[in-house]
Amino acid sequence: MAPVNTTAMPVTIVIFGATGDLTRRKLIPSLFSLYRKGRLPSGLRIAGYARRPYSNEIFRNYLLEGVQEYVRGSFDPAAWQAFSQNIVYVRGDLSNTEDYPGLQLSLGEIEGGPANRVYYLASSPEYFPIVVKNLGESRMAGEEEGWRRIVIEKPFGRDLPSAVELNRIILSVFQESQVYRIDHYLGKETAQNILFFRFGNTIFEPIWNRNYIDHVQITMAESVDVGHRAGYYDQAGIIRDIFQNHMMQLLALVAMEPSSSFEADAIRNEKSKVLTALRPIAADEVAKYALRGQYRGYRGTEKVAPDSQIPTYAVLQIYIDNWRWQGIPFFLRCGKALTAKTTEINIQFRRPPHVLFPLPPGRDIKPNLLTIGIQPDEGAHLRFEVKNPDTTAEMHSVEMSFHYADVFGPDSIPESYERLLLDILVGDASLFARKDAIETAWRFIDPIIKGLDGQAAPPLYIYEPGSRGPAEADEFIARAGYAWLHRCGGHDSTCEREEYSWKKPHQ
């Protein structure tokens, strides 16, 4: 039998749990934005699948409210009218196997012949294995009449055993090449730019190692509290919610070796090697390498246990045992209800080995600092030293800065889901986690979670909402001989800027 030409086939995106928040806030606004840019395949259809008794019209109006609120740029009613005609609603129970033949029949009527499909699991995590099994039992995963791809949202398991079991279930129905484990942080332009920044500029890669870099800090701060996610959060905590996925992925991008090509598996191979090289932190060592905090008032939130020990703030001190990074500490910190929302990577370089300038007693040259802003200050900033004019030996720290908004315009950065959805449609898995990376990350994180829950756990420090986190975090990094690096975030920032200069009196 001749191979099927799938490139010419129409595509259907089937969203399971389509009446949830993810579909309304992220998926449909992103797909609508791609439609307006002319980047979607011709004839693409979107089928929402959920239990609510909606008609096509009611479902479209429900989605319209989300698009009007969340789409980037101005809303175009004419474009929505054309786009929404390709959206249909199919009523069914995700957990009921008997409803899936009806879904298959409805999709066949919509498609009118062979078609490619994306199965997007936008439901609660407990439905992931159920939907996969039902798709398998209904013979909807086979690729006899077009390719089939399945998208799994995070959280991907809650520990190593559950992640291994979920992978087992998924791969009993789908091939690894069909599976797209999505992490929206990797869809951010600024996260993708880490690889281009490193490997597209020869001035950085030769010094991107333990010989020139002193330490690395990755910070992910959120100004909002747990809000409506309190029920989930009090079971997961910040280590499961952020560190196991977002933070590990950013760490891998910063620390990976250059891949042999820009192919998906070549990039994912190198990222996986970084995670494999992480120095294990045993449960009884957690107090040495981790700090945890909780914002005041968290325990009074609805659905949170009154004596909850779940951290809303955490710091990890991590080492990568390989040739490039041996002995260099990576400090990862993340928290809720902090001063401002910001995600940034700070690479501090070593000080000059010899100072030939007449510095004041007790002073030293500030080390060079490279800051990669992920959000909201999207860009990069390089700090270096200069001599103040008309002085004998007065030095000052200055910056070379790049802001996406300045170079490409204020609306140049698309929603991260736009890039990820487009990659799914074209079959590019570069920005999606592979089975081995997921399980390796959990293998590293599990003992840390066990240690934080055990008798050897470090104290749970309480911090005020709107602060920079517990004061003990400063003491934690100071014990290792470092200090937190704070940088003003963007043009309109109101944060306090560190003074990077020193002055010698005129002679």
Side-chain angles (χ1 to χ4, degrees):
M1 180 182 295
V4 177
N5 181 16
T6 59
T7 58
M9 289 183 181
V11 180
T12 304
I13 299 177
V14 187
I15 303 175
F16 293 88
T19 55
D21 204 39
L22 176 63
T23 306
R24 183 173 175 272
R25 293 185 57 175
K26 297 293 186 181
L27 300 186
I28 297 300
S30 295
L31 287 167
F32 179 54
S33 181
L34 289 171
Y35 171 80
R36 293 177 62 183
K37 295 175 182 178
R39 296 179 181 174
L40 292 180
S42 177
L44 178 119
R45 301 176 180 85
I46 302 166
Y49 187 67
R51 288 185 299 180
R52 294 185 186 179
Y54 284 176
S55 63
N56 287 342
E57 183 179 1
I58 292 174
F59 183 55
R60 291 168 185 169
N61 288 335
Y62 166 79
L63 298 178
L64 172 60
E65 295 173 0
V67 168
Q68 290 174 324
E69 184 174 356
Y70 297 109
V71 75
R72 298 198 175 192
S74 59
F75 174 71
D76 185 344
W80 171 256
Q81 179 63 27
F83 173 76
S84 64
Q85 296 309 301
N86 293 315
I87 300 175
V88 299
Y89 184 79
V90 181
R91 186 182 182 187
D93 190 331
L94 301 185
S95 58
N96 189 348
T97 308
E98 296 180 358
D99 284 357
Y100 282 71
L103 171 62
Q104 174 76 315
L105 182 63
S106 296
L107 292 176
E109 293 174 351
I110 295 166
E111 294 162 343
N116 301 312
R117 289 181 193 167
V118 173
Y119 299 128
Y120 201 116
L121 274 57
S123 63
S124 300
E126 63 266 23
Y127 287 104
F128 293 171
I130 296 171
V131 173
V132 170
K133 288 178 180 178
N134 285 335
L135 288 171
E137 291 179 12
S138 303
R139 303 178 66 84
M140 295 175 66
E143 298 189 306
E144 296 82 6
E145 296 187 340
W147 52 252
R148 301 289 184 264
R149 294 168 188 157
I150 186 163
V151 185
I152 314 290
E153 277 278 347
K154 82 171 189 74
F156 199 92
R158 59 173 285 105
D159 51 23
L160 179 59
S162 61
V164 169
E165 176 61 12
L166 181 54
N167 273 327
R168 185 195 66 78
I169 292 171
I170 292 172
L171 296 179
S172 70
V173 177
F174 294 90
Q175 300 295 317
E176 177 66 34
S177 60
Q178 296 176 274
V179 182
Y180 290 73
R181 300 171 188 84
I182 197 167
D183 184 338
H184 74 270
Y185 247 80
L186 293 185
K188 294 183 179 296
E189 284 287 344
T190 42
Q192 298 166 42
N193 193 48
I194 295 172
L195 293 185
F196 290 86
F197 188 87
R198 286 187 56 193
F199 304 130
N201 298 288
T202 56
I203 63 172
F204 293 115
E205 182 53 27
I207 59 172
W208 206 268
N209 55 58
R210 61 188 175 87
N211 296 321
Y212 297 94
I213 290 177
D214 183 68
H215 73 285
V216 178
Q217 298 180 19
I218 302 177
T219 298
M220 192 177 296
E222 295 184 289
S223 58
V224 298
D225 57 22
V226 296
H228 68 279
R229 300 178 69 227
Y232 160 76
Y233 206 89
D234 206 47
Q235 299 298 317
I238 202 162
I239 301 295
R240 286 190 175 94
D241 188 47
I242 301 295
F243 279 80
Q244 186 276 332
N245 39 72
H246 299 335
M247 296 294 263
M248 289 292 104
Q249 292 296 326
L250 289 179
L251 173 67
L253 289 172
V254 171
M256 65 180 275
E257 297 294 325
S259 59
S260 59
S261 71
F262 205 56
E263 296 296 321
D265 274 339
I267 293 173
R268 297 196 294 183
N269 286 344
E270 299 304 331
K271 289 169 63 178
S272 184
K273 289 177 185 177
V274 172
L275 300 179
T276 303
L278 292 175
R279 184 183 300 174
I281 299 176
D284 58 1
E285 294 183 305
V286 163
K288 181 179 178 182
Y289 296 103
L291 176 139
R292 60 179 185 155
Q294 185 186 92
Y295 66 79
R296 191 178 304 280
Y298 170 77
R299 294 175 182 174
T301 307
E302 186 179 358
K303 298 182 180 179
V304 171
D307 58 349
S308 175
Q309 295 293 301
I310 291 295
T312 61
Y313 179 100
V315 177
L316 291 181
Q317 181 178 342
I318 291 174
Y319 291 90
I320 301 172
D321 288 334
N322 64 15
W323 189 275
R324 182 183 290 260
W325 297 110
Q326 189 66 38
I328 302 303
F330 286 73
F331 294 96
L332 278 57
R333 62 172 171 165
C334 182
K336 293 275 191 182
L338 299 176
T339 304
K341 178 179 180 179
T342 182
T343 300
E344 66 180 27
I345 300 164
N346 284 293
I347 293 104
Q348 180 169 303
F349 293 89
R350 295 188 184 278
R351 299 178 191 274
H354 172 67
V355 179
L356 58 89
F357 312 111
L359 299 182
R363 301 301 294 269
D364 204 346
I365 292 181
K366 287 285 185 181
N368 300 133
L369 176 67
L370 174 64
T371 300
I372 300 174
I374 306 298
Q375 66 174 10
D377 177 26
E378 293 96 349
H381 314 273
L382 179 63
R383 186 184 82 197
F384 57 95
E385 299 299 295
V386 298
K387 175 185 174 292
N388 273 0
D390 199 26
T391 66
T392 302
E394 184 176 318
M395 297 183 67
H396 192 81
S397 294
V398 296
E399 261 188 8
M400 287 195 298
S401 294
F402 153 66
H403 295 273
Y404 271 87
D406 291 343
V407 178
F408 302 107
D411 298 320
S412 59
I413 297 183
E415 164 63 46
S416 59
Y417 274 93
E418 289 186 35
R419 169 64 188 271
L420 295 172
L421 287 165
L422 199 57
D423 282 357
I424 293 165
L425 291 171
V426 300
D428 183 353
S430 301
L431 300 178
F432 298 84
R434 206 167 53 189
K435 170 184 179 291
D436 56 333
I438 290 285
E439 294 179 6
T440 302
W442 274 121
R443 194 170 288 110
F444 175 75
I445 289 292
D446 265 5
I448 297 172
I449 294 175
K450 184 180 295 184
L452 292 176
D453 292 340
Q455 294 183 346
L460 181 69
Y461 299 111
I462 303 300
Y463 63 96
E464 297 298 326
S467 70
R468 283 182 173 171
E472 291 80 2
D474 296 336
E475 299 171 12
F476 176 88
I477 195 170
R479 288 199 301 270
Y482 304 97
W484 293 116
L485 300 167
H486 302 292
R487 201 196 159 278
C488 285
H491 301 296
D492 300 321
S493 173
T494 57
C495 72
E496 296 180 3
R497 185 179 180 83
E498 278 189 58
E499 179 56 53
Y500 290 127
S501 65
W502 65 267
K503 295 183 178 181
K504 181 177 180 177
H506 291 278
Q507 295 181 349

